[in-house]
Amino acid sequence: MLIRDATRDDLPRIVEIYNESIPGGRATADLEPVTVESREAWFEEFDSDRRPCWVAEEEGVVVGCVYLRSFYAGRPAYDETAEISTYLAGSHQGQGLGTLLKKKMIADCPRLGVKNLLSFYFDHNEASRLINEKLGFEKAAHLENIANVFGRSRGLVIAILR
């Protein structure tokens, strides 16, 4: 398994993996597939020195990604805080890859200037809860019934690792 900085050429596959997660209603608040075009500006915001986007590649195929985004629209007072997100191809879920990617990003946080790492996940996403707890994240907030995901009310957990 190769973990490397994502390139613009990886964007179609990153979008494909992200879109795979939508119908399950556990990993994203998007309800319709996104397009590569709609994600181009989003992708350009990544910076390997501060807010990287990495992909996991197996036999030349991208099978997952992990990335950091600045918290609260990147306001300067929050420079030491970032949000981590991980998306995996369905074929690679439940095999430890999500944990591996998060661990690697956590290990790089000091280099990236991140002291407070946030993980946002739906309260019914048991896999995300277990991974976060295993890695030492603590629940900082639970916003109950904040999202309507395919007709079902869902809550959002915000977990933090310092």
Side-chain angles (χ1 to χ4, degrees):
M1 184 74 57
L2 171 66
I3 299 171
R4 60 172 174 76
D5 283 322
T7 68
R8 172 61 184 79
D9 290 341
D10 297 317
L11 186 56
R13 181 65 178 141
I14 292 169
V15 166
E16 183 180 343
I17 290 168
Y18 181 83
N19 284 339
E20 280 182 29
S21 73
I22 294 172
R26 288 190 334 264
T28 179
D30 277 315
L31 303 175
E32 298 288 332
V34 300
T35 65
V36 172
E37 295 76 25
S38 73
R39 287 298 181 131
E40 286 176 350
W42 167 86
F43 186 77
E44 291 303 318
E45 292 178 10
F46 290 110
D47 170 5
S48 60
D49 293 325
R50 290 196 71 249
R51 301 294 186 260
C53 178
W54 298 335
V55 293
E57 184 179 300
E58 185 176 76
E59 297 179 11
V61 177
V62 171
V63 295
C65 70
V66 61
Y67 55 85
L68 293 184
R69 303 271 298 163
S70 292
F71 177 67
Y72 207 41
R75 291 183 172 104
Y78 296 111
D79 276 350
E80 294 177 344
T81 302
E83 177 186 351
I84 189 168
S85 297
T86 308
Y87 290 92
L88 306 176
S91 60
H92 285 71
Q93 293 176 5
Q95 301 173 23
L97 180 57
T99 301
L100 173 72
L101 290 172
K102 264 190 160 171
K103 275 184 176 179
K104 182 167 173 44
M105 189 64 80
I106 289 166
D108 255 28
C109 279
R111 176 185 72 81
L112 301 167
V114 175
K115 293 182 179 178
N116 308 296
L117 190 59
L118 302 176
S119 179
F120 292 59
Y121 60 94
F122 284 129
D123 55 10
H124 66 290
N125 188 334
E126 188 68 8
S128 288
R129 182 186 68 77
L130 291 171
I131 289 170
N132 283 312
E133 287 179 0
K134 179 171 36 174
L135 296 176
F137 284 82
E138 296 178 359
K139 184 164 73 170
H142 182 195
L143 307 174
E144 295 182 32
N145 303 314
I146 194 170
N148 181 330
V149 181
F150 302 120
R152 299 192 69 177
S153 185
R154 300 299 190 187
L156 179 72
V157 174
I158 301 171
I160 188 166
L161 178 66
R162 296 182 191 273

